[in-house]
Amino acid sequence: MAPRSHGEQEKLLQALIDIGQELASTIELDELLNRILRISREVFRFENAIIRLLDADRQTLVTAAAYGYDEAVIRPEIKLGHGVMGKVAQTGKPILISNLAILPDYVPGIHDARSELAVPMVAREKVVGVFNVESPLPDAFRREDIAPLMTMAAQAAIGIENARLYENLRTISGRYRKLHQFNSRILRSANLGIYTVDDGMHITSWNHKIEEMSGVREEDAMGRPLFELFPMLEKEGFADRLRKVLQTGEAEKMRLAHRDQRGDLRFQKRRLAPLIEGEKTVGVVVIVEDITEFRRLLDQIIQSEKLAEVGRLSAGIAHEINNPLAVIAYGADLLLREESLSSFQKELVERIAGESERLQSLTGGLLSFSRPRETVGNWTDLNEILRDVLRLVRYEVSRHAIELKETYDELPPVHADPNKLKQVFINLILNASQAMKEGGILRVDTRRSAEGWVEVSIADTGPGIPAAVREHIFEPFFSTKAEGEGTGLGLYICRNIAAEHGGRLFLETEEGKGTAFRLLLPTHSLD
C-alpha cells in the first residue's frame, strides 16, 4: 500500500492536536471517547472502531464507545487473554492481523471481518483499555497505522484516567466546586502533592506527586486511615489541624518537619481546605509542597545572618583581643611562679589571670557561635542558654541605657540545639534593645507553661509595633530597618527555628505600651 500523502499527514497531525485539546477541555468520559472515535473515522476513514475499557476487578474488557458495530457485538464482555483485544489488554502490545481466518479463537466483530488492528490504551504504565478497528478486506491496515493509533490511544487513556479521578472526587462531594476547578491538565502535571480524606480520616484520593513525596503508592493508600498509615502525623501536630478544619469548616495552613516512611526528614508546607457538601464539612483537601531544598538554602542564609550578627556584636574584638590575651595570660602564669611576690601582688596576678581566662572564654564563645554546624539536639538547660546570651549582648543592652530584669523559673531540660536557640534569643534581645532608643526596661522571664511545655518571654517597654507592620512581621525579607541595616530575615528565621524544635513563637504588642515575644518549647524529644 502507498505511504500517506502530505495532506493525510497534516490531517493526522491535526487529529492528534484536536485530541490534546479535548483532554484539556473536558472530563466527561462518554463525550471524550465519542469525540476520539469521530476523529479516528475522519482521519483514518475506518468503517468501524470500538473502545473497550478494562475492569481490573473482574479481569474483563467492557465496551465504552463504538461505531459501525451491531448491538449484539458491543454488549458481550471479553475476558482478559481471550481474542485479539483480550490478548492486547493482557500483554500491553499492539496486534495487527491481515487474515483473521487463521485465528481459531477469534471473537467476531463485524460481519466477514478479514483484518484487524488493536492497540493498548496505557496511562501511567498501566493498561486501561483497548482501541480496536476491523475491516472485511484483507491487508486493510498498515504497520504505519500503529504508531499514530498508539499515540491517540495513549492520549485517550490519560483522559480516561483523569475523568475517573474527577468522578471519584464528585462522588465524595458533588457540590464542592473548588475541586471541580482541577482539570485533567493540572492533575497530570501538578508539582504539588494532593490528596483528600473523608470525615472519618480515610484517604479518598492520592495523586502521583504525593506518591513520590511519601513513598506510598496510590493503591496502598486509598481507603486507608491516614493516621494508621502515617502515625507520626499525630506527634507533628498535623492531626489537630486536620480535625480543626473538619470541625470549623475553615482552611488552615502549616509548616512541619516530616519524616516519611523511607526515614527521610522532609520540610513541608501544607494547606488544608474543607470539602463542603451543603452546610456540612465532609472531608479535607490537603495540598503538600516540599520545601526541603528551600530550607537548605535558608540554612545558608541563617548562617550568613549569624555571622553578620556576630560581626556587629564583636566589632572585630574576638580576633584582635585573643593574641594580647594570650600574652597577658602567659605573663601572669610566669609571675605566679615567682616566690618573691607579696600576698597582695600574688592576689593581683591571680586576678589578672582569672580575668584573662574569662575574656578568652567570651571571645571563644563568639567564635564558636559563628562557626557553621549542623543542627544537633541535646538535653539543654534553657536558663543557662539565656544567661550565656545575655553575657554576649550585655554591652549592647547597657549602651542603650536599658535596665535588664531577669526572672528564671526552675525548668525541666528541653531537647534542642543550643546554638540555634541562642540565635533566636540574640535576635529578639537586640531587636528589643534597638526599639528602646531612649532607654527602657527589658524583661527576660522563663516559666513552665502547659503540661509538657516551657515558655521564654522577652518583653520591652518600647513604642510597640503598628498594626500594619504586625501583619508582615514574620514574612521573609520584610524589614522596617534602614537599607543596609538588616536583611528582613531575623524574625522569619526565629519562627522557623522554633518550628524546627516543635515550638511556637508568638507576638504580643500594643502601640505605645511595648512588645513581647513568647517562645513555647516542648520538654519532650521530637526524635
Side-chain angles (χ1 to χ4, degrees):
M1 301 183 73
R4 288 192 184 88
S5 66
H6 180 70
E8 288 177 320
Q9 291 176 350
E10 287 188 347
K11 200 167 186 179
L12 175 60
L13 178 60
Q14 185 59 47
L16 297 178
I17 292 172
D18 289 345
I19 294 172
Q21 291 173 343
E22 288 295 329
L23 291 178
S25 62
T26 182
I27 56 169
E28 295 299 328
L29 182 58
D30 291 340
E31 180 185 345
L32 178 64
L33 293 174
N34 288 326
R35 177 58 178 157
I36 291 170
L37 289 180
R38 287 199 303 272
I39 292 173
S40 68
R41 178 166 50 189
E42 293 167 4
V43 175
F44 294 96
R45 296 187 179 89
F46 295 147
E47 296 177 2
N48 58 79
I50 186 169
I51 294 176
R52 281 191 166 99
L53 299 183
L54 177 63
D55 185 328
D57 294 331
R58 295 189 296 128
Q59 295 289 285
T60 58
L61 290 171
V62 181
T63 300
Y67 70 87
Y69 286 90
D70 295 334
E71 184 66 26
V73 174
I74 294 173
R75 193 182 307 113
E77 298 178 355
I78 298 177
K79 291 184 179 181
L80 201 65
H82 287 207
V84 175
M85 296 183 74
K87 289 178 180 177
V88 170
Q90 186 176 52
T91 64
K93 296 179 180 179
I95 294 179
L96 171 61
I97 299 175
S98 300
N99 186 1
L100 291 168
I102 64 173
L103 294 181
D105 61 346
Y106 169 63
V107 179
I110 66 170
H111 182 65
D112 292 332
R114 295 290 303 278
S115 56
E116 183 173 358
L117 174 57
V119 297
M121 303 171 72
V122 181
R124 300 179 180 91
E125 300 181 354
K126 182 175 65 176
V127 175
V128 299
V130 177
F131 184 95
N132 186 85
V133 291
E134 297 173 78
S135 174
L137 301 175
D139 297 315
F141 309 110
R142 299 170 288 193
R143 288 206 166 272
E144 62 185 271
D145 292 330
I146 294 177
L149 271 182
M150 287 284 286
T151 301
M152 186 167 62
Q155 290 177 313
I158 293 171
I160 291 166
E161 286 292 281
N162 289 334
R164 284 173 170 173
L165 177 57
Y166 266 94
E167 185 61 30
N168 182 44
L169 294 178
R170 279 198 296 268
T171 301
I172 297 170
S173 178
R175 298 180 185 177
Y176 188 56
R177 294 184 178 88
K178 287 186 179 180
L179 280 185
H180 296 170
Q181 296 172 0
F182 285 100
N183 57 36
S184 56
R185 190 186 299 275
I186 293 175
L187 289 174
R188 191 171 61 250
S189 61
N191 199 33
L192 298 173
I194 303 171
Y195 65 94
T196 59
V197 296
D198 60 19
D199 55 2
M201 303 294 185
H202 291 83
I203 297 169
T204 53
S205 68
W206 194 257
N207 82 340
H208 182 66
K209 189 63 181 180
I210 200 70
E211 283 187 353
E212 294 180 4
M213 289 180 175
S214 64
V216 178
R217 297 179 302 173
E218 180 184 4
E219 53 265 36
D220 297 330
M222 291 295 291
R224 293 280 300 279
L226 179 64
F227 301 120
E228 177 182 297
L229 199 58
F230 300 101
M232 69 288 293
L233 291 176
E234 289 274 7
K235 294 181 180 179
E236 293 169 353
F238 179 77
D240 293 337
R241 295 291 187 92
L242 197 58
R243 294 186 184 103
K244 184 178 178 182
V245 174
L246 286 169
Q247 290 169 2
T248 65
E250 296 180 357
E252 289 278 334
K253 58 183 179 179
M254 66 182 300
R255 300 184 182 204
L256 55 81
H258 171 70
R259 196 171 295 278
D260 62 23
Q261 290 199 333
R262 294 180 292 252
D264 298 331
L265 183 63
R266 310 297 296 180
F267 297 97
Q268 298 175 344
K269 290 197 319 189
R270 299 195 178 197
R271 298 176 181 86
L272 295 80
L275 277 169
I276 307 296
E277 187 169 352
E279 296 182 357
K280 183 181 178 183
T281 303
V282 297
V284 179
V285 179
V286 182
I287 302 174
V288 184
E289 181 182 0
D290 192 303
I291 57 170
T292 305
E293 295 304 318
F294 172 76
R295 281 297 303 267
R296 288 172 183 163
L297 177 61
L298 184 61
D299 285 343
Q300 297 176 8
I301 297 174
I302 290 174
Q303 183 60 30
S304 299
E305 182 82 2
K306 284 181 10 180
L307 292 174
E309 293 288 355
V310 170
R312 189 174 65 78
L313 285 169
S314 62
I317 293 176
H319 289 292
E320 295 298 326
I321 285 184
N322 264 345
N323 288 335
L325 273 180
V327 175
I328 293 171
Y330 179 70
D333 183 62
L334 289 178
L335 286 173
L336 285 173
R337 299 177 189 177
E338 293 290 332
E339 297 180 357
S340 59
L341 293 177
S342 66
S343 59
F344 175 71
Q345 290 172 328
K346 187 174 182 180
E347 181 182 347
L348 286 178
V349 174
E350 287 174 345
R351 186 169 181 180
I352 290 170
E355 291 300 308
S356 298
E357 184 178 349
R358 186 177 69 85
L359 286 173
Q360 284 177 322
S361 174
L362 178 61
T363 56
L366 289 172
L367 292 172
S368 173
F369 175 72
S370 67
R371 292 190 188 104
R373 61 193 296 271
E374 295 182 357
T375 300
V376 178
N378 295 301
W379 290 106
T380 304
D381 184 339
L382 204 55
N383 291 336
E384 190 57 37
I385 290 177
L386 278 164
R387 292 188 183 101
D388 286 345
V389 167
L390 288 172
R391 278 193 286 270
L392 289 173
V393 301
R394 195 172 295 276
Y395 171 75
E396 184 72 13
V397 172
S398 62
R399 80 184 185 92
H400 285 90
I402 294 170
E403 181 183 356
L404 179 62
K405 294 186 177 182
E406 304 169 59
T407 306
Y408 300 108
D409 196 359
E410 186 174 341
L411 303 178
V414 296
H415 196 262
D417 185 324
N419 243 31
K420 289 200 171 183
L421 289 187
K422 284 180 182 179
Q423 182 171 357
V424 172
F425 298 143
I426 286 175
N427 197 291
L428 296 178
I429 291 171
L430 291 181
N431 282 352
S433 301
Q434 291 162 8
M436 297 184 286
K437 298 185 182 297
E438 305 300 324
I441 298 173
L442 175 64
R443 295 196 63 89
V444 177
D445 302 313
T446 65
R447 65 180 70 88
R448 291 173 180 265
S449 186
E451 184 177 353
W453 294 83
V454 295
E455 178 182 324
V456 177
S457 174
I458 296 174
D460 63 61
T461 57
I465 300 174
V469 175
R470 259 175 258 163
E471 297 176 7
H472 307 284
I473 198 74
F474 289 113
E475 293 179 5
F477 306 109
F478 177 80
S479 177
T480 58
K481 297 177 182 178
E483 187 173 350
E485 292 186 8
T487 64
L489 286 169
L491 290 176
Y492 174 71
I493 291 171
C494 288
R495 190 174 67 170
N496 276 280
I497 292 175
E500 185 179 324
H501 288 78
R504 303 169 195 162
L505 183 61
F506 299 97
L507 166 67
E508 295 176 355
T509 185
E510 187 176 345
E511 286 192 67
K513 295 187 177 180
T515 299
F517 283 92
R518 294 170 48 239
L519 175 64
L520 288 176
L521 292 171
T523 56
H524 58 271
S525 173
L526 297 179
D527 295 338

